[in-house]
């Protein structure tokens, strides 16, 4: 990865002179900015790693061309991660946050770098060569979300972080409405996804009556996890954009729904790890979750169907935007193929 100088970073993205002054005001170590490395960019949230005053940092902000909710997303992330500090949850540690978007033109926060690898792009020899290590990776991810969902979010000051009342009841109409909105993209022929209405109807008819609210990561597939280089343990869950207060069992359903068959298109979502497989079965994941949670796990198939339904519709949005020239056609077609696989998985669970 290339190392840039602060002056080489687009000042519309991060003006290091302003950031340095702000850091000084926070009482952080002063000095020159060294070893600036981009960790993200393009249409995604931007992350820059750097060293200053003998301390390493990662700066995270929204994309260069901010979306309508980009600042709110980063502001919420910083708040949640700050609340999780000290809770023994595998998450990045926030050093300082700037919720004022006028400072550099976007909300940003500084966090400690994570020592670990993303299995989408990297798989060390230890993990690539041992299927038991990979199985334990999947179980470590399950433990991470189970511990997250078991936290007392009220005690952490997060009672207003989401709207748990009616959370499950809102899911089907919320996401069917999202799917309908895609028709605003010129040229999009409408969703060619077999059985969307059938899956939605089944979800509404079989919705669990009783559940306990908790913190939900919201997008906890394994590509949004960093793992330790010397073992199977999760180093940190990342990309908390979809986090809220809801039903944490949807996170378990999400992990099961995105557990790929190595021969599927979905497997490429998890890159190197998805290609070699060796992950735990759904039954093993449910059993392991129960070791760290006292939740009723009898309706896990329902949550898995909901995860397929929701993620499939989310990914279809990129496909719809390709018709209007707002996203690369190849990416849209790839994500549409994953949507079809997710709905096929949902239909098999219904049967």
């Amino acid at each position: 990865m290339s190392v840039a100088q602060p002056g080489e970073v687009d000042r519309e993205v991060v003006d290091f002179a302003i950031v340095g002054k702000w850091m000084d005001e926070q009482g952080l170590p002063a000095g020159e900015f060294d070893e600036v490395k981009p960790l993200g960019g393009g249409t995604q949230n931007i992350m820059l790693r750097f060293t200053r005053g003998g301390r390493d940092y990662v700066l995270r902000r929204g994309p260069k061309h901010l979306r309508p909710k980009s600042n709110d997303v980063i502001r919420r992330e910083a708040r949640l991660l700050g609340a999780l500090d000290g809770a023994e949850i595998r998450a990045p540690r926030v050093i300082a946050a700037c919720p004022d978007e006028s400072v550099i033109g976007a909300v940003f926060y500084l966090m400690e770098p994570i020592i670990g690898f993303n299995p989408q792009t990297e798989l060390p020899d230890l993990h690539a060569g041992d299927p038991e290590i990979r199985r334990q990776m999947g179980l470590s991810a399950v433990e991470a979300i189970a511990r997250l969902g078991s936290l007392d979010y009220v005690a952490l000051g997060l009672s207003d972080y989401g709207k748990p009342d009616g959370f499950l009841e809102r899911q089907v109409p919320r996401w069917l409405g999202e799917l309908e909105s895609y028709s605003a993209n010129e040229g999009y022929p409408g969703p060619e996804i077999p059985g969307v209405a059938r899956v939605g109807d089944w979800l509404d008819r079989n919705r669990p009556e009783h559940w306990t609210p908790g913190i939900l990561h919201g997008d906890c597939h394994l590509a949004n996890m960093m793992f330790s280089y010397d073992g199977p343990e999760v180093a940190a869950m990342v990309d908390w954009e979809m986090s809220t207060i809801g039903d944490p069992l949807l996170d378990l359903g999400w992990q099961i729904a995105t557990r790929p068959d190595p021969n599927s298109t979905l497997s490429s979502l998890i890159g190197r790890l998805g290609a070699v497989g060796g992950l735990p079965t759904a039954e093993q994941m449910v059993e392991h979750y129960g070791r760290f949670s006292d939740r009723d796990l009898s309706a896990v198939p329902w949550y898995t169907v909901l995860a397929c339904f929701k993620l499939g519709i989310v990914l279809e949005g990129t496909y719809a935007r390709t018709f209007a020239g707002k996203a690369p056609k190849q990416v849209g077609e790839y994500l549409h193929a994953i949507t079809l696989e997710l709905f096929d998985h949902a239909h098999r669970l219904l049967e």
Side-chain angles (χ1 to χ4, degrees), residues 167-168 171 202-203 206-213 216 246-258 286 289 295-311 345-346 349:
F167 176 79
L168 292 185
Q171 294 304 301
W202 183 89
L203 286 166
N206 293 277
R207 185 171 53 245
E209 293 184 8
H210 304 290
W211 59 279
T212 303
L216 184 75
D247 190 336
L249 286 181
L250 180 54
D251 273 349
L252 177 58
W254 205 272
Q255 285 205 0
I256 294 172
T258 56
V286 173
Y289 191 99
R295 294 178 183 274
D296 179 1
L297 302 179
S298 61
V300 168
W302 185 90
Y303 292 96
T304 307
V305 173
L306 176 58
C308 292
F309 179 84
K310 180 175 177 178
L311 179 56
H345 187 189
L349 287 170

Side-chain angles (χ1 to χ4, degrees), residues 50-266:
F50 63 87
T51 299
R52 187 180 193 235
R55 185 171 187 179
D56 294 328
Y57 302 87
V58 171
L59 182 150
R60 180 168 167 88
R61 56 148 286 172
K64 179 178 179 180
H65 301 291
L66 294 170
R67 300 166 183 165
K69 296 183 179 180
S70 291
N71 284 323
D72 288 339
V73 165
I74 299 298
R75 199 177 281 118
R76 280 172 55 82
E77 275 189 10
R79 179 189 173 191
L80 176 65
L81 294 175
L84 294 179
D85 189 17
E88 297 185 0
I89 295 299
R90 307 284 181 154
R93 181 177 177 272
V94 172
I95 298 170
C98 181
D100 181 358
E101 58 203 73
S102 70
V103 175
I104 66 166
V107 173
F108 70 94
Y109 62 88
L110 302 178
M111 58 182 170
E112 292 183 347
I114 300 162
I115 300 175
F117 69 91
N118 185 320
Q120 184 180 43
T121 56
E122 182 180 359
L123 201 62
D125 291 343
L126 171 68
H127 305 72
D130 189 341
E132 177 57 21
I133 289 283
R134 299 195 296 275
R135 192 181 77 89
Q136 291 294 333
M137 288 172 70
L139 295 181
S140 181
V142 167
E143 177 184 343
I145 60 167
R147 291 188 182 278
L148 176 69
S150 297
L151 292 177
D152 184 341
Y153 67 92
V154 176
L156 292 173
L158 296 170
S159 58
D160 61 342
Y161 190 74
K163 299 177 181 178
D165 290 346
F167 176 79
L168 292 185
E169 289 81 358
R170 289 195 301 271
Q171 294 304 301
V172 170
R174 159 76 176 84
W175 293 102
L176 285 179
E178 182 76 5
L179 185 61
E180 186 176 341
S181 75
Y182 297 161
S183 295
N185 290 281
E186 185 177 355
Y188 178 56
E192 297 177 355
I193 307 170
V196 171
R198 178 190 176 212
V199 174
D201 179 64
W202 183 89
L203 286 166
D204 275 340
R205 286 187 291 104
N206 293 277
R207 185 171 53 245
E209 293 184 8
H210 304 290
W211 59 279
T212 303
I215 302 173
L216 184 75
H217 179 281
D219 192 17
C220 57
H221 55 72
L222 297 183
N224 281 339
M225 304 250 176
M226 303 284 287
F227 288 87
S228 170
Y229 281 106
D230 56 8
E233 294 80 17
V234 170
M237 296 181 282
V238 297
D239 290 344
W240 294 76
E241 295 181 39
M242 295 174 67
S243 61
T244 189
I245 306 300
D247 190 336
L249 286 181
L250 180 54
D251 273 349
L252 177 58
W254 205 272
Q255 285 205 0
I256 294 172
T258 56
R259 175 195 175 276
D261 178 333
N263 298 316
S264 67
T265 304
L266 179 61

Side-chain angles (χ1 to χ4, degrees), residues 260-335:
D261 178 333
N263 298 316
S264 67
T265 304
L266 179 61
S267 68
S268 59
L269 185 67
I270 311 176
R272 298 285 302 279
L273 178 58
V276 295
L279 294 167
T281 65
E283 293 75 17
Q284 289 170 338
M285 294 166 77
V286 173
E287 189 275 333
H288 198 69
Y289 191 99
R291 297 184 184 183
F292 306 95
S293 172
D294 58 2
R295 294 178 183 274
D296 179 1
L297 302 179
S298 61
V300 168
W302 185 90
Y303 292 96
T304 307
V305 173
L306 176 58
C308 292
F309 179 84
K310 180 175 177 178
L311 179 56
I313 290 175
V314 168
L315 298 180
E316 182 72 5
T318 300
Y319 180 58
R321 288 190 289 274
T322 66
F323 289 87
K326 300 175 183 176
K329 182 179 180 182
Q330 184 176 4
V331 173
E333 290 178 347
Y334 158 69
L335 295 178

